[in-house]
Amino acid sequence: MSASTIYNHRSLQPTGPPTQGQSQPHSHTRLNEAFDSIRAEFDSALTEANVVRNQKDEIEGKVVQQVNELNIIRQSLYDLEAQHNKVRQQFEDELGRLRSELLTTRQQLAAATSGAGGPPPAGPGISSGPGAPSQIGPGGALVGGPPYPPAGEPPYGRDYARERPIEREPRIGDRSGLGPLGDRGLGLADRERERDRMDRERERERDRERERLDRDRDRIPDGRDTKRSKNDRMKSDRPDHFSPSLGTLGVGPSSGGPTPKLPPPPGPGAYGGPAPPGPADSIIPTHTGPGLHTGPGGPPPLSGPSSGHPTTGPGVGAIGPPASANQGFPDDLDIHTVAPDLKKEGTDWFAIFNPKVKRQLDVSLVHTLMHESVVCCVRFSADGKYLATGCNRTAQIYDTKTGQKTCVLVDEAAGKSGDLYIRSVCFSPDGKFLATGAEDKQIRIWDIGKKRIRNVFDGHQQEIYSLDFSTDGRLIVSGSGDKTARIWDMVDGTSKVLTINDHDSLNNDAGVTSVAISPNGQYVAAGSLDTVVRIWDVATGVLVERLRGHRDSVYSVAFTPDGKGLVSGSLDKTLKYWDVSALGGGGGGPSAALVKRAKDGKRDEKGSPCTMNFNGHKDYVLSVAVSHDGQWVVSGSKDRGVQFWDAKNAVVQCMLQGHKNSVISIDLSPAGSILATGSGDWQARIWSYSSV
């Protein structure tokens, strides 16, 4: 075969039926139909999504509108309460004036009757019993009826009309036994009885109103009775009766939604004084016992032998320079009249800067974080990237830059009945764990990444009020209402009890409200209800120092970054700076000699001195913190304000107002110029501050 025949072959043809050309148009048709069906379903889903989006926007608008309406109602209640107090004061003043006139008239009538023919006989109209007007006895002396003021004593001073026991009300018009007084005596007695009847009616009306308010409070889950047992004395603010349960609805800058406005100032100088009263303010801790509060407003500063607290001697208020006159703001300082360069206003907050010193600070609101209950505590992580908050049954973690909630920690095994407020939170130094202390006496260590409980520390007999990690993360200290602080080892789970002995306390109520570990991990400081700040040696558990000087319960303590100073905040409305450098906290050296002296009962009588007093808050100081650079001391108070103090001289630099209830907890970021506040108004807020 020649080579040319290799290429002389027939081309191969498919053996199957020639259907390929016929199926192509049919396949394209089916594909187009499928695409059309998918497009139609997509358009339908898009339409439904638009409808849902519109409904969502409408619902959010309604929620925002309802929030605004609720805040308008709350504002109206504030106004009504202020008006009520004003009217009541006017009524009491007028009542006092009328009683004074009544007493004067009685005396004049008694004198006239004495000169006109002796005392009138007793009878149904005017009896000689304790409820009757005074009669004239032998020699013209007044007998029976209420006691009259001594000669020369003004008719004000004592409420004589109220001191008279109320007897049967005689019928008006009964003229029997009137005697020489005649119609004059009848008119005076009738007017007096009418006033008594009106007073009793008003008193009964006030009692009914108080009972109604108490019943309303009992129906509200977060309401707390002001008459509580000893275990409830350190409860923080509960929400206003009219505060909405907003869940995770965000308001303020972080969410783009409007933030409810603050009540307007009640009058000139209001921002230099206490905030207007709110329903939740009556729930702030109420104490009993020597030197402790017996009412929501609190007594004036304690002094003298009745206070139950020392007022002189080493370590007491006399130590250190007295508070300078220019520490606080002028009493008549008003946001409306202060110079523009000395104030900064936001939508629902403002800051006023001290006109007596050069302005060094600027403050801004960054995020408002809404909660479903009172925010009892706030705490930053060591790197400042996250903020933990504690409220009823949950601990929550937020991103400080975005304000977004990143984690919610709930112990599903805890009982569902009643409240379970998280009173303290604290990050471990590496940020992997969060410790929480609650009303059920347990300390829970959470693995944040897994949202699971790693450890539970049991041992305290009452609520856990404060927690703090050591800088190496090995130890955690807790403070409780059971008069103890405890040091827990995160590795082996062992604990060491730091006890306040009864003989060591100024009174029997020495619950620990706040604890802090010194930066070098060598000491634990604790504030307590008995006004004393105590310092223990961590290694041995020996009490090495008692700091006395506050005149009421100490609610917060914080070491300075260098460990040489300790700041305390108290219900006596002041902060104090204690020089604890003699303890060796700053140098980190051993404390063996000091511990030995403490064991032998040879504590230095001079102690660590109080070198500065911070005066300016108008109500209880509930929380204190020191900035990471040691430049600022910051405090939160029941007066609803936050104050920045110069740490070098205790002069207030700035007063910050924004919360609508007590500022229960504050914290300063260890890594930046960021402040967090938690309040009884169900909000936590993140603020930024900077030097100017």
Side-chain angles (χ1 to χ4, degrees), residues 104-139:
T104 303
T105 305
R106 279 181 178 173
Q107 290 173 327
Q108 293 173 351
L109 288 172
T113 303
S114 174
I126 300 178
S127 68
S128 60
S134 297
Q135 309 300 313
I136 308 300

Short mmCIF file of all heavy atoms in Angstrom, two decimals, residues 104-139:
data_model
loop_
_atom_site.label_atom_id
_atom_site.label_comp_id
_atom_site.label_asym_id
_atom_site.label_seq_id
_atom_site.Cartn_x
_atom_site.Cartn_y
_atom_site.Cartn_z
N THR A 104 -51.41 83.22 120.39
CA THR A 104 -51.43 84.60 120.87
C THR A 104 -52.84 85.01 121.29
O THR A 104 -53.06 85.64 122.34
CB THR A 104 -50.91 85.53 119.78
OG1 THR A 104 -49.59 85.13 119.40
CG2 THR A 104 -50.86 86.97 120.27
N THR A 105 -53.84 84.63 120.47
CA THR A 105 -55.23 84.95 120.79
C THR A 105 -55.67 84.27 122.08
O THR A 105 -56.38 84.85 122.91
CB THR A 105 -56.14 84.52 119.63
OG1 THR A 105 -55.69 85.13 118.43
CG2 THR A 105 -57.59 84.93 119.89
N ARG A 106 -55.27 83.02 122.25
CA ARG A 106 -55.61 82.31 123.49
C ARG A 106 -55.07 83.05 124.71
O ARG A 106 -55.75 83.19 125.73
CB ARG A 106 -55.02 80.90 123.46
CG ARG A 106 -55.83 79.90 122.67
CD ARG A 106 -55.12 78.57 122.75
NE ARG A 106 -55.85 77.54 122.06
CZ ARG A 106 -55.37 76.32 121.87
NH1 ARG A 106 -54.18 76.01 122.36
NH2 ARG A 106 -56.08 75.41 121.24
N GLN A 107 -53.82 83.45 124.59
CA GLN A 107 -53.21 84.15 125.72
C GLN A 107 -53.95 85.45 126.03
O GLN A 107 -54.19 85.79 127.18
CB GLN A 107 -51.74 84.42 125.44
CG GLN A 107 -50.88 83.16 125.44
CD GLN A 107 -49.46 83.44 125.00
OE1 GLN A 107 -49.24 84.31 124.16
NE2 GLN A 107 -48.52 82.70 125.55
N GLN A 108 -54.31 86.17 124.97
CA GLN A 108 -55.03 87.42 125.17
C GLN A 108 -56.40 87.17 125.80
O GLN A 108 -56.83 87.87 126.73
CB GLN A 108 -55.19 88.15 123.83
CG GLN A 108 -53.87 88.65 123.26
CD GLN A 108 -54.02 89.21 121.86
OE1 GLN A 108 -55.08 89.09 121.24
NE2 GLN A 108 -52.95 89.84 121.36
N LEU A 109 -57.12 86.15 125.31
CA LEU A 109 -58.42 85.81 125.88
C LEU A 109 -58.29 85.36 127.33
O LEU A 109 -59.12 85.68 128.19
CB LEU A 109 -59.09 84.72 125.06
CG LEU A 109 -59.62 85.15 123.68
CD1 LEU A 109 -60.08 83.93 122.90
CD2 LEU A 109 -60.76 86.14 123.84
N ALA A 110 -57.24 84.56 127.58
CA ALA A 110 -57.04 84.10 128.95
C ALA A 110 -56.78 85.28 129.88
O ALA A 110 -57.30 85.34 131.00
CB ALA A 110 -55.88 83.11 129.00
N ALA A 111 -55.97 86.24 129.41
CA ALA A 111 -55.68 87.41 130.24
C ALA A 111 -56.94 88.24 130.46
O ALA A 111 -57.22 88.72 131.57
CB ALA A 111 -54.59 88.25 129.58
N ALA A 112 -57.74 88.40 129.37
CA ALA A 112 -58.98 89.17 129.49
C ALA A 112 -59.96 88.49 130.43
O ALA A 112 -60.63 89.12 131.25
CB ALA A 112 -59.62 89.37 128.11
N THR A 113 -60.06 87.18 130.32
CA THR A 113 -60.97 86.43 131.18
C THR A 113 -60.53 86.50 132.63
O THR A 113 -61.34 86.60 133.56
CB THR A 113 -61.02 84.97 130.73
OG1 THR A 113 -61.42 84.93 129.36
CG2 THR A 113 -62.03 84.18 131.56
N SER A 114 -59.22 86.47 132.84
CA SER A 114 -58.70 86.53 134.21
C SER A 114 -59.09 87.84 134.88
O SER A 114 -59.42 87.87 136.05
CB SER A 114 -57.17 86.36 134.19
OG SER A 114 -56.62 86.55 135.46
N GLY A 115 -59.11 88.91 134.12
CA GLY A 115 -59.47 90.20 134.70
C GLY A 115 -60.96 90.42 134.76
O GLY A 115 -61.43 91.38 135.37
N ALA A 116 -61.76 89.56 134.09
CA ALA A 116 -63.20 89.81 134.01
C ALA A 116 -64.00 89.00 135.00
O ALA A 116 -65.21 89.07 135.01
CB ALA A 116 -63.69 89.52 132.60
N GLY A 117 -63.42 88.15 135.81
CA GLY A 117 -64.26 87.46 136.79
C GLY A 117 -63.97 86.01 136.98
O GLY A 117 -64.85 85.26 137.34
N GLY A 118 -62.74 85.55 136.75
CA GLY A 118 -62.39 84.19 137.11
C GLY A 118 -62.62 83.20 136.01
O GLY A 118 -63.07 83.52 134.92
N PRO A 119 -62.31 81.93 136.29
CA PRO A 119 -62.34 80.90 135.26
C PRO A 119 -63.76 80.49 134.91
O PRO A 119 -64.65 80.57 135.75
CB PRO A 119 -61.59 79.73 135.92
CG PRO A 119 -61.80 79.94 137.38
CD PRO A 119 -61.88 81.39 137.61
N PRO A 120 -63.98 80.04 133.66
CA PRO A 120 -65.29 79.54 133.27
C PRO A 120 -65.48 78.13 133.78
O PRO A 120 -64.51 77.38 133.93
CB PRO A 120 -65.23 79.58 131.75
CG PRO A 120 -63.80 79.39 131.43
CD PRO A 120 -63.04 80.05 132.55
N PRO A 121 -66.73 77.74 134.04
CA PRO A 121 -66.97 76.36 134.46
C PRO A 121 -66.79 75.39 133.32
O PRO A 121 -66.95 75.75 132.17
CB PRO A 121 -68.43 76.40 134.94
CG PRO A 121 -69.05 77.51 134.15
CD PRO A 121 -67.97 78.55 133.99
N ALA A 122 -66.47 74.12 133.66
CA ALA A 122 -66.32 73.10 132.63
C ALA A 122 -67.67 72.66 132.12
O ALA A 122 -68.65 72.68 132.85
CB ALA A 122 -65.54 71.90 133.17
N GLY A 123 -67.74 72.22 130.88
CA GLY A 123 -68.98 71.75 130.29
C GLY A 123 -68.73 71.08 128.99
O GLY A 123 -67.60 70.94 128.56
N PRO A 124 -69.81 70.61 128.31
CA PRO A 124 -69.61 69.91 127.05
C PRO A 124 -68.91 70.75 126.02
O PRO A 124 -68.20 70.24 125.19
CB PRO A 124 -71.04 69.55 126.62
CG PRO A 124 -71.85 69.62 127.87
CD PRO A 124 -71.23 70.65 128.71
N GLY A 125 -69.17 72.05 126.03
CA GLY A 125 -68.54 72.89 125.02
C GLY A 125 -67.08 73.09 125.27
O GLY A 125 -66.27 72.99 124.38
N ILE A 126 -66.70 73.38 126.49
CA ILE A 126 -65.30 73.57 126.86
C ILE A 126 -65.06 72.78 128.11
O ILE A 126 -65.55 73.12 129.19
CB ILE A 126 -64.99 75.07 127.11
CG1 ILE A 126 -65.28 75.88 125.84
CG2 ILE A 126 -63.56 75.26 127.54
CD1 ILE A 126 -65.06 77.35 126.01
N SER A 127 -64.36 71.70 128.04
CA SER A 127 -64.11 70.84 129.19
C SER A 127 -62.76 71.15 129.78
O SER A 127 -61.94 71.83 129.18
CB SER A 127 -64.19 69.37 128.78
OG SER A 127 -63.11 69.07 127.94
N SER A 128 -62.55 70.61 130.94
CA SER A 128 -61.26 70.82 131.60
C SER A 128 -60.31 69.67 131.34
O SER A 128 -59.28 69.56 131.97
CB SER A 128 -61.48 70.99 133.11
OG SER A 128 -62.09 69.82 133.63
N GLY A 129 -60.66 68.80 130.41
CA GLY A 129 -59.79 67.66 130.10
C GLY A 129 -58.61 68.08 129.28
O GLY A 129 -58.44 69.23 128.90
N PRO A 130 -57.76 67.11 128.94
CA PRO A 130 -56.52 67.42 128.21
C PRO A 130 -56.77 67.95 126.82
O PRO A 130 -55.90 68.54 126.23
CB PRO A 130 -55.76 66.08 128.18
CG PRO A 130 -56.82 65.05 128.39
CD PRO A 130 -57.86 65.67 129.24
N GLY A 131 -57.95 67.71 126.25
CA GLY A 131 -58.19 68.19 124.90
C GLY A 131 -58.81 69.56 124.86
O GLY A 131 -59.12 70.06 123.80
N ALA A 132 -59.03 70.20 125.98
CA ALA A 132 -59.73 71.47 126.00
C ALA A 132 -58.78 72.63 126.05
O ALA A 132 -57.63 72.50 126.42
CB ALA A 132 -60.65 71.51 127.21
N PRO A 133 -59.29 73.84 125.69
CA PRO A 133 -58.47 75.04 125.86
C PRO A 133 -58.15 75.24 127.33
O PRO A 133 -58.88 74.81 128.22
CB PRO A 133 -59.36 76.16 125.31
CG PRO A 133 -60.34 75.48 124.42
CD PRO A 133 -60.57 74.13 125.02
N SER A 134 -57.07 75.91 127.59
CA SER A 134 -56.63 76.10 128.97
C SER A 134 -57.64 76.94 129.75
O SER A 134 -58.25 77.86 129.22
CB SER A 134 -55.27 76.79 128.99
OG SER A 134 -54.32 75.97 128.39
N GLN A 135 -57.80 76.58 131.00
CA GLN A 135 -58.69 77.32 131.89
C GLN A 135 -57.84 78.16 132.85
O GLN A 135 -56.63 78.01 132.94
CB GLN A 135 -59.57 76.33 132.67
CG GLN A 135 -60.28 75.32 131.79
CD GLN A 135 -61.19 75.99 130.78
OE1 GLN A 135 -61.94 76.88 131.14
NE2 GLN A 135 -61.10 75.59 129.53
N ILE A 136 -58.52 79.02 133.58
CA ILE A 136 -57.82 79.91 134.50
C ILE A 136 -57.91 79.33 135.91
O ILE A 136 -59.00 79.09 136.43
CB ILE A 136 -58.44 81.32 134.48
CG1 ILE A 136 -58.51 81.82 133.04
CG2 ILE A 136 -57.62 82.27 135.36
CD1 ILE A 136 -57.19 81.90 132.36
N GLY A 137 -56.79 79.06 136.51
CA GLY A 137 -56.76 78.49 137.84
C GLY A 137 -56.58 79.56 138.90
O GLY A 137 -56.63 80.76 138.63
N PRO A 138 -56.35 79.13 140.11
CA PRO A 138 -56.15 80.07 141.21
C PRO A 138 -54.99 81.00 140.93
O PRO A 138 -53.94 80.58 140.46
CB PRO A 138 -55.88 79.16 142.42
CG PRO A 138 -56.48 77.84 142.04
CD PRO A 138 -56.35 77.74 140.58
N GLY A 139 -55.21 82.26 141.23
CA GLY A 139 -54.15 83.24 141.02
C GLY A 139 -53.97 83.60 139.57
O GLY A 139 -52.97 84.22 139.21
#
